[in-house]
Amino acid sequence: MKVEACTWAGYSGLYEAIESWDFKKIEKLEEYRLLLKRLQPEFKTRIIPTDIISDLSECLINQECEEILQICSTKGMMAGAEKLVECLLRSDKENWPKTLKLALEKERNKFSELWIVEKGIKDVETEDLEDKMETSDIQIFYQEDPECQNLSENSCPPSEVSDTNLYSPFKPRNYQLELALPAMKGKNTIICAPTGCGKTFVSLLICEHHLKKFPQGQKGKVVFFANQIPVYEQQKSVFSKYFERHGYRVTGISGATAENVPVEQIVENNDIIILTPQILVNNLKKGTIPSLSIFTLMIFDECHNTSKQHPYNMIMFNYLDQKLGGSSGPLPQVIGLTASVGVGDAKNTDEALDYICKLCASLDASVIATVKHNLEELEQVVYKPQKFFRKVESRISDKFKYIIAQLMRDTESLAKRICKDLENLSQIQNREFGTQKYEQWIVTVQKACMVFQMPDKDEESRICKALFLYTSHLRKYNDALIISEHARMKDALDYLKDFFSNVRAAGFDEIEQDLTQRFEEKLQELESVSRDPSNENPKLEDLCFILQEEYHLNPETITILFVKTRALVDALKNWIEGNPKLSFLKPGILTGRGKTNQNTGMTLPAQKCILDAFKASGDHNILIATSVADEGIDIAQCNLVILYEYVGNVIKMIQTRGRGRARGSKCFLLTSNAGVIEKEQINMYKEKMMNDSILRLQTWDEAVFREKILHIQTHEKFIRDSQEKPKPVPDKENKKLLCRKCKALACYTADVRVIEECHYTVLGDAFKECFVSRPHPKPKQFSSFEKRAKIFCARQNCSHDWGIHVKYKTFEIPVIKIESFVVEDIATGVQTLYSKWKDFHFEKIPFDPAEMSK
């Protein structure tokens, strides 16, 4: 009865452990509990419990979820996060560490980089059916700001912009026909043209021409790749509205829908398929799409991403292997769309030429299409803004920075008392307060803490927790210095006051009390400094002057103000709203969907709402944005772009400048750092190098260019093939599978069969006698599988979990997991443990339904 009380209380994991007398799973959680204890200080400052509580509900008791939400509501997020840690530390659910990881990644929370499950897995490996019925390989690609883009480009000048224009069969402009011509002739083409010129419409023209060219009885099949979900949704809508009226079937598959749809059947039954590229990568690997020959045209949006291990490149590796391997299957035509092919690290035109040739080789492109003959018409549609550099001086003296720097030095000293090797935990030297480099130092120190070991585990835990507390406070001080450098001291101080208010509302241990007291001792002085008019930021004065001047010249001015961080977005919005000189401005903000620290990202509907209001020019006449607005957003009427300490690579520069599309538009780079202006000038030089290199390539004989491309492709394939690890030779000797708990014989490898490449069943009646089954607590259906029961070792006093029982198509079969067994060599008696089927290299025989009838 007492044991059953565990289940009633919600501790089903403990109940199972006591029932089977197997505590390994619960014991395995100890390493994650220790890690969470170490990371607790950082967890409190970075996690918003209300965002992830629903995903963690299965790992917690209902009462705990209610308590956490109540604390968030009454005491704040930091206190709620502390309660969440407490609940997770006592959770007996074996999957809570992985569930937490997935919840953090789903919310794009930076803490996920510190929460390492199973020794830092970067890709989601093939899992057993117990965890997930259908598996996929997932690769994550990081960009400067992983925010998604909204809305498509349009090909109309500002006066003609409307949603209907994009879908109506209006006459294409001459420059659009010029861009489309090589592709319409069947050539693999990279189309490089400015943001806002209507590259999406050009792709519609190419697609329509391609589908119409097939004779009676033959059909084309087009796939359009979009990197980001919002762009995928937009292009799916655009292509559907344009082509369905002509009787073509258009559909889309993204990561969000791929699990629940038969990809092969959808590709087979539609004329145009919009895909996020990883979907095709996964299905080529699994063989559900046998080859790229099924398509007749592939279009890559933002094709400059075709490099390294990006999904675009993985698709083209498959294409090039087919091309260079002498395959008889036809290859699809390839089209790439971009505003800038880039030049990488090129220092001169020759190196830039090589870089562009490599991109052409990756996409098998024999032509780069740019507008040459209809430039005048293009310039009537896409107005290149005038660019101005404004170098302003920083504050002459900075008492605020002096006080915060002293607090940071004191905090570092406290950390060194706890850990004398603090300086050796990171390789980053010459770090300076208030810089990105200092932030990097904090990250490396925190990662070093995670693997820090001592003989005395209690002391180890105490030191690591203390270091996380000290570095978390150092991070906030560093953030505040960055805000003060680019905005007002008041904004930086408000940022710190909010942080310490949250700290007080949470656990508030001895270290936090000490650090809070040190801050409060300086608070009055900091308040006085931040209110002193002589400490105004010269950069803000210059920004105010630019805005006053431009809106005086043209009261209808529409502005995008680009900044580097969300904290600056909020600070500058507050500054504008509190500045009587800028009362004519109605600011809106646009940030990405990801979450950093306690800052919540904007949802897609919120982003769209802000953009709609901005485009209407009524609710907002200035948009303060992070790099989410760099590309993919159609704001044709914007005539003033201000880059506030904001600079990137040449591709980013061209895309950002492309936001100022209205006639007579201007672009200001405002900075106190001469290096920022120098970097932007280098980007301008690189843009010129890129354009010169493209012009040179366009003068080459096409046969010579094709030969050059082929040479690069052959060389790159040789390198790829030489780097591939040889596939291990499968061991054909029969092996025993023993129960890992009681060592009872379960089956032989000769009876094991593989279903859909990643699920393993056992044939024969003998195995049925070895296990018992119980109804599954969470029955589920995925694809061809229906999860019905759990199976356990039938041996008395064992009941070790072996896997699950499923209905697969018409068959009732067991599905086993290798980590439940010991593999024994029959000849030698040597026993081996495996945690993943992929690590066990035995002869894997595919499941054959005909064997079941025997």
Side-chain angles (χ1 to χ4, degrees):
M1 193 72 177
K2 289 179 181 177
V3 174
E4 289 174 349
C6 293
T7 304
W8 297 337
Y11 293 103
S12 56
L14 181 59
Y15 172 77
E16 285 184 17
I18 295 171
E19 276 285 280
S20 62
W21 208 246
D22 179 10
F23 293 89
K24 287 180 182 175
K25 290 176 183 175
I26 290 181
E27 289 166 0
K28 191 178 177 184
L29 291 175
E30 191 58 32
E31 61 182 287
Y32 295 114
R33 292 193 182 106
L34 288 172
L35 178 60
L36 186 56
K37 284 177 184 175
R38 289 185 179 190
L39 298 176
Q40 184 174 1
E42 195 66 10
F43 188 94
K44 289 194 304 183
T45 62
R46 289 189 176 223
I47 298 301
I48 302 173
T50 51
D51 287 341
I52 63 173
I53 195 74
S54 59
D55 294 311
L56 293 173
S57 59
E58 292 181 2
C59 305
L60 303 171
I61 299 168
N62 288 340
Q63 183 182 342
E64 290 175 332
C65 294
E66 291 168 8
E67 283 180 23
I68 291 165
L69 293 172
Q70 180 64 29
I71 290 170
C72 288
S73 174
T74 57
K75 294 186 177 181
M77 292 301 171
M78 198 176 283
E82 194 164 67
K83 182 65 179 177
L84 176 55
V85 169
E86 178 190 317
C87 296
L88 288 173
L89 288 175
R90 64 171 177 251
S91 174
D92 64 338
K93 307 300 189 293
E94 64 172 311
N95 65 327
W96 76 256
K98 187 174 284 188
T99 304
L100 176 58
K101 178 75 171 176
L102 294 172
L104 293 170
E105 288 177 346
K106 176 183 172 184
E107 293 298 321
R108 300 183 180 185
N109 193 296
K110 293 282 187 181
F111 186 80
S112 64
E113 295 171 16
L114 295 174
W115 185 246
I116 298 174
V117 180
E118 293 185 10
K119 298 179 183 176
I121 289 177
K122 290 183 181 176
D123 300 329
V124 176
E125 295 184 324
T126 301
E127 301 168 345
D128 290 292
L129 268 173
E130 174 61 25
D131 298 318
K132 189 174 178 184
M133 299 294 282
E134 187 171 351
T135 60
S136 61
D137 294 326
I138 298 173
Q139 291 183 329
I140 301 169
F141 293 90
Y142 296 95
Q143 29 183 82
E144 189 163 347
D145 197 356
E147 279 67 320
C148 301
Q149 294 91 27
N150 298 314
L151 314 179
S152 72
E153 302 160 355
N154 68 74
S155 59
C156 306
S159 59
E160 298 174 30
V161 174
S162 73
D163 288 339
T164 54
N165 277 330
L166 187 56
Y167 314 126
S168 302
F170 64 88
K171 185 181 177 183
R173 299 179 182 277
N174 290 329
Y175 75 79
Q176 290 173 326
L177 289 173
E178 182 182 351
L179 290 170
L181 187 59
M184 287 179 168
K185 290 180 178 178
K187 296 175 181 178
N188 288 359
T189 307
I190 292 175
I191 294 170
C192 183
T195 302
C197 71
K199 289 190 291 294
T200 297
F201 181 64
V202 172
S203 69
L204 293 174
L205 294 175
I206 293 167
C207 190
E208 186 174 25
H209 179 271
H210 178 84
L211 291 171
K212 285 180 176 177
K213 76 176 185 180
F214 286 89
Q216 191 77 25
Q218 294 182 29
K219 289 180 72 176
K221 191 177 295 292
V222 178
V223 59
F224 185 104
F225 298 111
N227 263 316
Q228 306 287 353
I229 292 292
V231 178
Y232 155 83
E233 295 286 358
Q234 175 65 24
Q235 301 297 28
K236 181 181 167 188
S237 172
V238 169
F239 274 76
S240 296
K241 288 179 181 178
Y242 189 88
F243 283 103
E244 285 180 351
R245 59 193 169 85
H246 294 307
Y248 292 107
R249 289 167 296 180
V250 181
T251 191
I253 313 171
S254 69
T257 59
E259 264 190 9
N260 305 315
V261 297
V263 175
E264 184 180 19
Q265 189 177 332
I266 284 179
V267 170
E268 179 67 31
N269 294 339
N270 287 275
D271 304 301
I272 302 168
I273 305 98
I274 315 298
L275 285 181
T276 48
Q278 189 66 42
I279 300 300
L280 184 56
V281 173
N282 294 344
N283 282 274
L284 286 168
K285 278 185 183 177
K286 288 193 290 186
T288 46
I289 293 179
S291 84
L292 295 174
S293 296
I294 194 170
F295 303 111
T296 56
L297 174 64
M298 299 194 301
I299 304 174
F300 293 84
D301 193 32
E302 305 295 348
C303 70
H304 52 263
N305 288 302
T306 314
S307 65
K308 299 179 182 177
Q309 297 302 304
H310 191 280
Y312 280 1
N313 223 18
M314 304 305 288
I315 292 166
M316 288 308 299
F317 286 165
N318 190 293
Y319 173 103
L320 293 169
D321 285 347
Q322 194 172 333
K323 172 186 174 179
L324 302 173
S327 171
S328 57
L331 286 167
Q333 184 183 358
V334 178
I335 305 298
L337 308 173
T338 184
S340 169
V341 293
V343 295
D345 297 324
K347 304 290 189 301
N348 54 54
T349 307
D350 287 339
E351 289 179 9
L353 196 86
D354 288 340
Y355 180 90
I356 296 168
C357 283
K358 282 184 180 178
L359 180 65
C360 291
S362 296
L363 288 160
D364 199 34
S366 59
V367 177
I368 299 178
T370 58
V371 178
K372 293 195 293 184
H373 305 301
N374 297 281
L375 272 173
E376 192 173 325
E377 182 190 45
L378 176 65
E379 287 164 2
Q380 293 299 310
V381 176
V382 182
Y383 312 117
K384 188 172 180 178
Q386 289 178 274
K387 191 143 195 177
F388 302 92
F389 296 112
R390 302 276 292 211
K391 170 73 169 63
V392 295
E393 297 304 317
S394 298
R395 294 182 181 96
I396 298 170
S397 63
D398 195 337
K399 188 71 183 295
F400 184 91
K401 183 173 183 178
Y402 174 80
I403 298 169
I404 297 297
Q406 187 56 54
L407 285 167
M408 293 177 79
R409 278 190 287 271
D410 292 345
T411 307
E412 281 192 1
S413 296
L414 292 169
K416 286 173 187 174
R417 284 186 206 171
I418 290 285
C419 178
K420 292 181 174 58
D421 289 334
L422 180 66
E423 294 297 335
N424 297 325
L425 292 179
S426 170
Q427 300 298 313
I428 295 175
Q429 303 297 320
N430 304 320
R431 61 187 185 276
E432 184 183 341
F433 296 146
T435 63
Q436 189 62 38
K437 195 172 185 180
Y438 194 86
E439 165 74 16
Q440 290 166 359
W441 176 79
I442 291 170
V443 171
T444 55
V445 168
Q446 290 185 340
K447 286 185 176 178
C449 281
M450 291 160 53
V451 294
F452 180 71
Q453 289 184 310
M454 293 179 68
D456 185 337
K457 293 300 170 187
D458 288 339
E459 180 66 4
E460 175 188 309
S461 179
R462 185 186 73 82
I463 289 175
C464 288
K465 183 176 178 180
L467 283 176
F468 269 102
L469 276 173
Y470 288 131
T471 51
S472 295
H473 281 67
L474 286 169
R475 170 181 274 118
K476 292 296 177 181
Y477 283 135
N478 194 61
D479 290 346
L481 287 180
I482 292 172
I483 294 170
S484 174
E485 168 71 18
H486 302 312
R488 296 176 298 180
M489 291 176 180
K490 176 187 180 299
D491 301 305
L493 185 56
D494 287 345
Y495 179 82
L496 288 175
K497 284 159 69 175
D498 285 346
F499 168 68
F500 280 102
S501 175
N502 279 321
V503 169
R504 274 191 295 272
F508 211 43
D509 69 6
E510 286 182 22
I511 291 175
E512 289 172 315
Q513 289 173 34
D514 177 46
L515 291 172
T516 302
Q517 184 182 340
R518 290 169 183 270
F519 171 72
E520 288 177 342
E521 286 171 358
K522 300 288 185 183
L523 184 55
Q524 189 173 347
E525 190 178 2
L526 287 167
E527 293 272 19
S528 175
V529 168
S530 66
R531 286 195 296 264
D532 187 342
S534 67
N535 288 321
E536 285 291 327
N537 196 328
K539 275 189 281 194
L540 292 181
E541 292 175 11
D542 202 58
L543 177 59
C544 181
F545 172 77
I546 292 170
L547 291 168
Q548 284 180 298
E549 188 76 10
E550 293 303 319
Y551 279 82
H552 174 72
L553 291 171
N554 178 9
E556 304 301 314
T557 290
I558 303 293
T559 303
I560 300 186
L561 172 60
F562 281 102
V563 299
K564 287 189 289 191
T565 67
R566 290 185 192 147
L568 271 178
V569 168
D570 294 332
L572 289 177
K573 182 174 185 285
N574 292 336
W575 168 71
I576 289 173
E577 289 176 335
N579 191 332
K581 294 179 181 177
L582 300 175
S583 58
F584 54 87
L585 290 179
K586 293 174 283 184
I589 64 171
L590 182 67
T591 63
R593 295 192 300 150
K595 295 173 177 60
T596 57
N597 302 346
Q598 293 282 330
N599 296 324
T600 306
M602 293 182 77
T603 62
L604 276 174
Q607 288 177 340
K608 190 174 188 307
C609 183
I610 285 289
L611 283 169
D612 288 345
F614 185 61
K615 291 170 74 175
S617 299
D619 294 342
H620 304 297
N621 57 3
I622 180 169
L623 187 66
I624 311 167
T626 56
S627 61
V628 64
D630 263 359
E631 53 181 290
I633 297 175
D634 175 24
I635 311 169
Q637 71 273 45
C638 171
N639 64 312
L640 179 61
V641 175
I642 301 175
L643 309 177
Y644 191 76
E645 296 285 5
Y646 184 95
V647 69
N649 57 31
V650 64
I651 292 172
K652 180 180 283 288
M653 184 196 79
I654 293 167
Q655 289 169 338
T656 307
R657 190 185 60 206
R659 296 308 111 210
R661 300 188 194 175
R663 188 187 296 274
S665 56
K666 297 176 183 177
C667 179
F668 287 89
L669 171 60
L670 196 153
T671 179
S672 59
N673 185 349
V676 171
I677 292 176
E678 185 181 341
K679 187 171 183 182
E680 192 72 352
Q681 288 171 334
I682 289 171
N683 282 339
M684 293 173 72
Y685 170 68
K686 285 189 171 185
E687 182 186 6
K688 184 178 183 304
M689 273 201 310
M690 179 189 78
N691 291 330
D692 290 346
S693 300
I694 291 173
L695 286 172
R696 272 180 62 185
L697 283 175
Q698 289 171 334
T699 65
W700 286 18
D701 178 78
E702 205 167 306
V704 173
F705 186 54
R706 280 207 193 97
E707 189 64 34
K708 167 87 171 173
I709 294 304
L710 181 60
H711 175 75
I712 294 170
Q713 291 171 341
T714 307
H715 177 68
E716 293 290 322
K717 178 170 168 55
F718 173 78
I719 293 172
R720 250 188 347 265
D721 292 346
S722 63
Q723 289 174 342
E724 281 184 7
K725 294 179 181 177
K727 287 185 179 179
V729 179
D731 186 349
K732 296 188 178 182
E733 294 297 321
N734 200 8
K735 303 278 193 296
K736 290 180 182 178
L737 260 59
L738 312 178
C739 174
R740 190 172 287 199
K741 183 178 177 184
C742 69
K743 295 293 181 79
L745 175 65
C747 64
Y748 292 89
T749 54
D751 298 322
V752 175
R753 296 294 182 269
V754 189
I755 305 173
E756 296 184 4
E757 296 189 2
C758 55
H759 311 305
Y760 293 76
T761 189
V762 183
L763 303 180
D765 292 334
F767 183 65
K768 294 177 185 175
E769 302 298 320
C770 297
F771 68 82
V772 294
S773 61
R774 299 173 198 161
H776 202 287
K778 293 177 184 175
K780 226 172 191 180
Q781 176 141 10
F782 288 92
S783 187
S784 307
F785 296 91
E786 184 184 342
K787 185 162 53 174
R788 292 187 167 185
K790 289 178 69 71
I791 62 173
F792 304 89
C793 177
R795 193 167 183 177
Q796 195 172 6
N797 299 325
C798 180
S799 298
H800 187 48
D801 182 357
W802 281 4
I804 56 174
H805 213 272
V806 304
K807 183 177 182 182
Y808 172 63
K809 296 182 178 175
T810 59
F811 305 106
E812 299 275 353
I813 56 173
V815 174
I816 61 173
K817 45 189 180 183
I818 190 62
E819 62 263 37
S820 298
F821 301 94
V822 176
V823 177
E824 182 177 282
D825 189 290
I826 295 173
T828 64
V830 173
Q831 294 184 349
T832 311
L833 301 177
Y834 296 99
S835 60
K836 299 283 182 184
W837 281 107
K838 68 182 180 64
D839 299 326
F840 181 21
H841 305 301
F842 70 105
E843 186 176 23
K844 296 173 182 176
I845 304 169
F847 176 78
D848 183 356
E851 288 188 277
M852 298 297 289
S853 60
K854 298 177 185 177

